[in-house]
């Protein structure tokens, strides 16, 4: 009995010793497995299975960890016993290779084939040099840095052109088209006589309002496009000149076609966006017939002003060009009954300031002013006398008798009175008729004003009837109040209205219209008379526009 108790105590001590040793070895195995990337949980879990299932579990663990090679079989040292037969003096500390599990206690031994060599742990477990170890579970893999495939150009484009729109005598809006890659624009300015530019503003919009101008001075502006997205990049500057002076000069008598053409271009440069010009035809000698439009070109209403049908009456061209500049200068100013911009937004005013440029050239400079040699030759055969009082065009036709209304052939070719061989035989007549008909067909034409000279009288209309008579009378009497001109009811025309432009307006287009005869003394009118003509007529057209807007 005592011997049996001693044997049980001995066996219990052996079991405890083996468990302690196995725990220490397991610690070492875990460390080595961590060094080699083994899944120690899977290996250790296989120890709790029978021997056949242990091998399957180990093989499965080996297959899932591709980067880990199985360790070599460890040959027990010659000094260590191959079996774990217990000794009464000292229990074995090594694990037997062939020990069967006891019927009373679970086996705690591990197969010898899975124990790595203690002396050479790294040699047998090193993966092949050509194989990349798989990342361990839970590891963070760095994302590759993207390689740019296209360079981004941040250089701003250069401003193409500067545009100016005067706003009275002390303000101007400088504008330009938006440029690529520009985040802002630097606006510089210098006045005439100054050497250096000064920075006026940095703006993000593509326009700048300068409110500090001096009248009768010339200014030069420079605009630089800038990109501040990544540092500061600047394009080359674009320059432009704004001439803050009066354009149309009225202190001389002979306001010529060449002067008018130059003034039209200057007005377009100074008042960009609120004045528009087109060429509606050519004269018989090849000069342009201009249509100058003030205001909104898409307005639902229009007013037509025609001047200088008779050559020697070129003071009317000067008057119309002076009106155009005056209305543009005060376009944004609230004066004389309110803002003119509101009026011009609703009704665009079309001016044909010189309807007979060839005849005007003859009246001012003689037959030598005609370009065509063939026309000059014909004109010299007419024996017209002084060309100063010339009324006809370069073919000797009176344009105010050439319209297709009650037309009859009358007079003979020369400085005045000839109706032409047929209605609309002249290129000037056809161009003005086409413009008039176009505005009428668009259902926008509300009124027509025709300027002639002289007499300081106004022609209206009688016997028109209905709405046409009513609206004609409104325009007629308003213009008489503004100018102080007398009625032309007692005036007798040699043409009797046949082929007349105003007759065409009333009887064909059915639009209200009047004719104003400016001046009092003679024709061509002297320069000294112009100030009084201007005083009487400066508000006629704008007030007519307000009447019909």
């Amino acid at each position: 009995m005592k011997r049996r108790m001693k044997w049980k105590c001995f066996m219990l001590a052996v079991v405890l010793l083996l468990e302690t040793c196995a725990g220490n070895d397991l610690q070492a195995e875990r460390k080595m497995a961590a060094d080699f990337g083994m899944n120690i949980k899977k290996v250790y879990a296989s120890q709790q299975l029978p021997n056949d299932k242990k091998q399957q579990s180990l093989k499965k663990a080996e297959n899932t960890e591709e980067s880990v090679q199985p360790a070599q079989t460890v040959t027990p040292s010659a000094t260590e016993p191959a079996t774990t037969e217990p000794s009464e003096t000292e229990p074995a500390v090594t694990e037997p290779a062939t020990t069967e599990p006891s019927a009373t206690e679970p086996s705690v031994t591990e197969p010898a084939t899975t124990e790595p060599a203690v002396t050479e742990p790294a040699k047998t477990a090193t993966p092949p040099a050509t194989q990349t170890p798989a990342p361990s579970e839970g590891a963070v893999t760095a994302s590759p840095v993207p390689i740019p495939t296209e360079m981004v150009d941040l250089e701003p484009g250069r401003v193409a052109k500067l545009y100016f729109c005067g706003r009275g005598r002390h303000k101007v809006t400088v504008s330009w088209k938006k440029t690529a890659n520009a985040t802002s624009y630097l606006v510089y300015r210098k006045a005439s006589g100054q050497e250096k530019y000064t920075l006026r503003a940095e703006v993000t919009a593509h326009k700048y309002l300068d409110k500090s101008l001096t009248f009768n001075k010339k200014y030069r502006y420079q605009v630089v496009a800038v990109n501040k997205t990544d540092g500061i990049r600047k394009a080359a500057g674009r320059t432009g000149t704004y001439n803050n002076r009066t354009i149309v000069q009225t202190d001389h008598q002979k306001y010529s076609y060449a002067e008018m053409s130059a003034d039209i271009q200057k007005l377009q440069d100074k008042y960009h966006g609120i004045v528009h010009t087109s060429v509606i035809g050519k004269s018989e000698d090849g000069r342009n017939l201009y249509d100058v439009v003030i205001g909104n070109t898409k307005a639902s209403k229009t007013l037509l002003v025609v001047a200088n049908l008779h050559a020697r009456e070129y003071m009317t061209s000067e008057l119309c060009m002076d009106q155009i500049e005056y209305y543009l200068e005060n376009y944004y100013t609230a004066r004389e009954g309110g803002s003119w911009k509101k009026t011009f937004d609703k009704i665009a005013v079309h001016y044909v300031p010189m309807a007979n440029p060839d005849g005007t050239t003859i009246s001012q400079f003689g037959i030598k002013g005609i370009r065509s040699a063939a026309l000059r030759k014909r004109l010299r055969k007419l024996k017209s006398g002084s060309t100063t009082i010339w009324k006809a065009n370069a073919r000797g036709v009176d344009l105010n008798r050439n319209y297709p209304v009650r037309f009859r052939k009358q007079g003979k070719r020369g400085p005045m009175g000839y109706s032409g061989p047929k209605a609309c035989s002249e290129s000037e007549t056809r161009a003005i008729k086409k413009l008039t008909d176009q505005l009428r067909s668009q259902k926008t034409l509300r009124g027509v004003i025709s300027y002639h000279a002289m007499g300081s009288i106004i022609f209206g209309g009688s016997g028109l009837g209905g709405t046409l008579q009513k609206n004609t009378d409104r325009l007629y009497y308003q213009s008489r109040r503004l100018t102080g001109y007398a009625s032309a009811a007692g005036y007798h025309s040699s043409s009797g209205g046949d082929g007349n432009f105003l007759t065409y307006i009333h009887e064909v287009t059915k639009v209200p219209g009047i004719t104003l005869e400016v001046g009092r003394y003679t024709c061509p009118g002297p320069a000294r008379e112009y100030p009084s003509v201007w005083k009487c007529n400066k508000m006629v057209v704008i007030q007519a526009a307000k009447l019909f807007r």
Side-chain angles (χ1 to χ4, degrees):
M1 188 70 178
K2 291 181 180 180
R3 187 174 182 180
R4 185 175 297 175
M5 290 295 294
K6 289 180 180 180
W7 176 248
K8 287 183 177 180
C9 291
F10 176 75
M11 291 299 295
L12 181 60
V14 170
V15 170
L16 292 173
L17 181 61
L18 288 174
E19 285 181 352
T20 303
C21 293
N24 292 335
D25 290 341
L26 185 60
Q27 293 278 342
E29 283 191 20
R30 282 178 175 171
K31 182 177 183 305
M32 294 182 67
D35 293 338
F36 286 91
M38 294 177 64
N39 192 334
I40 191 64
K41 292 182 179 181
K42 294 182 179 180
V43 176
Y44 183 60
S46 68
Q47 297 172 0
Q48 310 302 324
L49 303 174
N51 283 341
D52 55 340
K53 292 185 177 180
K54 287 180 183 178
Q55 298 300 324
Q56 294 177 6
S57 177
L58 287 173
K59 288 180 180 180
K60 185 176 180 181
E62 291 170 1
N63 291 335
T64 57
E65 301 294 330
E66 294 179 0
S67 62
V68 180
Q69 302 296 327
Q72 291 182 351
T73 304
V74 179
T75 304
S77 174
T79 59
E80 297 178 346
T83 64
T84 58
E85 186 71 16
S87 170
E88 292 187 5
T89 59
E90 184 178 1
V93 296
T94 59
E95 299 178 6
T98 59
T99 302
E100 291 291 331
S102 172
T104 58
E105 295 291 334
S107 173
V108 294
T109 60
E110 295 184 47
T113 58
T114 63
E115 183 179 359
V118 176
T119 57
E120 297 178 337
K123 287 184 179 180
T124 59
T126 304
T130 58
Q131 185 174 1
T132 303
S136 60
E137 186 177 352
V140 178
T141 305
S143 300
V145 178
I147 300 174
T149 58
E150 184 179 352
M151 297 298 292
V152 179
D153 184 11
L154 298 177
E155 191 71 23
R158 186 184 183 190
V159 172
K161 184 179 179 180
L162 300 187
Y163 302 94
F164 301 95
C165 184
R167 300 172 69 102
R169 295 190 170 190
H170 304 291
K171 299 178 184 179
V172 64
T173 297
V174 187
S175 61
W176 53 91
K177 292 182 179 180
K178 185 177 181 181
T179 60
N181 299 328
T183 59
S184 62
Y185 302 89
L186 301 176
V187 182
Y188 299 88
R189 188 192 80 180
K190 68 176 181 178
S192 55
Q194 294 178 339
E195 294 183 0
K196 296 182 179 180
Y197 286 98
T198 58
L199 179 64
R200 300 293 301 174
E202 180 174 2
V203 296
T204 55
H206 41 94
K207 62 180 179 180
Y208 167 68
L209 176 61
D210 193 343
K211 302 178 181 179
S212 59
L213 302 185
T214 301
F215 188 61
N216 278 329
K217 267 196 173 183
K218 185 184 291 186
Y219 293 89
R220 192 163 182 82
Y221 290 85
Q222 184 179 76
V223 177
V224 178
V226 179
N227 188 324
K228 294 185 178 180
T229 303
D230 181 16
I232 298 178
R233 291 175 170 82
K234 296 182 181 180
R238 176 66 65 186
T239 59
T241 302
Y242 177 69
N243 194 344
N244 192 28
R245 298 173 180 171
T246 299
I247 293 173
V248 180
Q249 302 297 318
T250 60
D251 56 354
H252 57 289
Q253 184 197 36
K254 293 181 180 180
Y255 188 76
S256 67
Y257 166 80
E259 188 175 0
M260 181 200 68
S261 299
D263 286 349
I264 289 174
Q265 184 59 56
K266 292 175 184 177
L267 288 171
Q268 284 194 120
D269 293 341
K270 186 175 181 179
Y271 297 102
H272 176 77
I274 60 175
V275 62
H276 309 271
T277 303
S278 63
V279 175
I280 59 173
K282 296 279 188 178
S283 68
E284 293 292 341
D285 197 33
R287 291 175 176 83
N288 289 337
L289 298 172
Y290 292 103
D291 174 25
V292 183
V293 185
I294 302 177
N296 178 15
T297 56
K298 297 181 180 180
S300 60
K301 300 176 182 179
T302 56
L303 179 69
L304 176 61
V305 183
V306 178
N308 189 219
L309 281 169
H310 287 150
R312 66 186 184 184
E313 299 168 14
Y314 48 81
M315 183 179 281
T316 61
S317 296
E318 185 178 29
L319 171 63
C320 285
M321 290 298 295
D322 205 2
Q323 285 177 338
I324 291 171
E325 182 171 24
Y326 182 65
Y327 299 152
L328 291 173
E329 183 180 294
N330 295 281
Y331 193 91
Y332 293 99
T333 305
R335 58 186 302 175
E336 276 101 345
S339 173
W340 292 352
K341 180 182 182 302
K342 293 180 181 179
T343 298
F344 290 123
D345 281 346
K346 295 179 180 179
I347 181 166
V349 179
H350 290 251
Y351 273 92
V352 181
M354 190 173 284
N356 187 0
D358 295 349
T360 297
T361 300
I362 294 172
S363 177
Q364 292 175 343
F365 306 107
I367 295 174
K368 63 182 180 181
I370 298 300
R371 303 165 179 172
S372 168
L375 285 175
R376 288 198 305 270
K377 184 177 180 180
R378 293 175 189 173
L379 289 169
R380 289 192 175 104
K381 291 180 179 180
L382 295 178
K383 298 179 181 179
S384 57
S386 174
T387 56
T388 303
I389 58 171
W390 192 275
K391 293 179 68 176
N393 71 349
R395 285 172 19 108
V397 176
D398 187 331
L399 298 179
N400 204 35
R401 296 186 181 185
N402 195 235
Y403 284 86
V405 56
R406 292 192 277 161
F407 178 83
R408 61 185 177 90
K409 187 176 179 180
Q410 52 184 313
K412 63 179 182 179
R413 197 179 298 273
M416 62 185 74
Y418 179 54
S419 63
K422 61 181 180 179
C424 292
S425 62
E426 308 308 298
S427 60
E428 298 91 342
T429 306
R430 293 192 297 270
I432 295 172
K433 177 184 178 297
K434 181 179 179 181
L435 174 62
T436 305
D437 293 347
Q438 179 182 340
L439 297 177
R440 183 70 180 92
S441 65
Q442 293 172 352
K443 298 182 179 180
T444 63
L445 188 59
R446 294 294 182 270
V448 176
I449 295 175
S450 179
Y451 269 112
H452 284 256
M454 58 176 193
S456 297
I457 56 177
I458 300 180
F459 290 88
S462 61
L464 302 176
T467 303
L468 178 58
Q469 183 69 63
K470 178 180 178 181
N471 289 331
T472 299
D473 288 345
R474 290 171 63 200
L475 179 59
Y476 170 78
Y477 287 110
Q478 175 177 271
S479 300
R480 284 193 62 185
R481 287 193 300 270
L482 291 170
T483 60
Y485 289 175
S487 170
Y491 180 83
H492 175 71
S493 172
S494 59
S495 68
D498 298 342
N500 187 279
F501 178 61
L502 183 61
T503 306
Y504 179 78
I505 294 300
H506 287 161
E507 298 186 10
V508 178
T509 66
K510 306 294 183 181
V511 172
I514 60 173
T515 294
L516 294 96
E517 299 272 358
V518 305
R520 292 182 178 274
Y521 303 109
T522 186
C523 201
R528 68 178 183 274
E529 191 177 20
Y530 182 78
S532 65
V533 170
W534 169 249
K535 183 178 179 181
C536 292
N537 289 273
K538 71 175 183 178
M539 298 298 297
V540 167
V541 174
I542 184 62
Q543 293 298 342
K546 289 182 178 181
L547 186 66
F548 294 116
R549 70 177 179 183

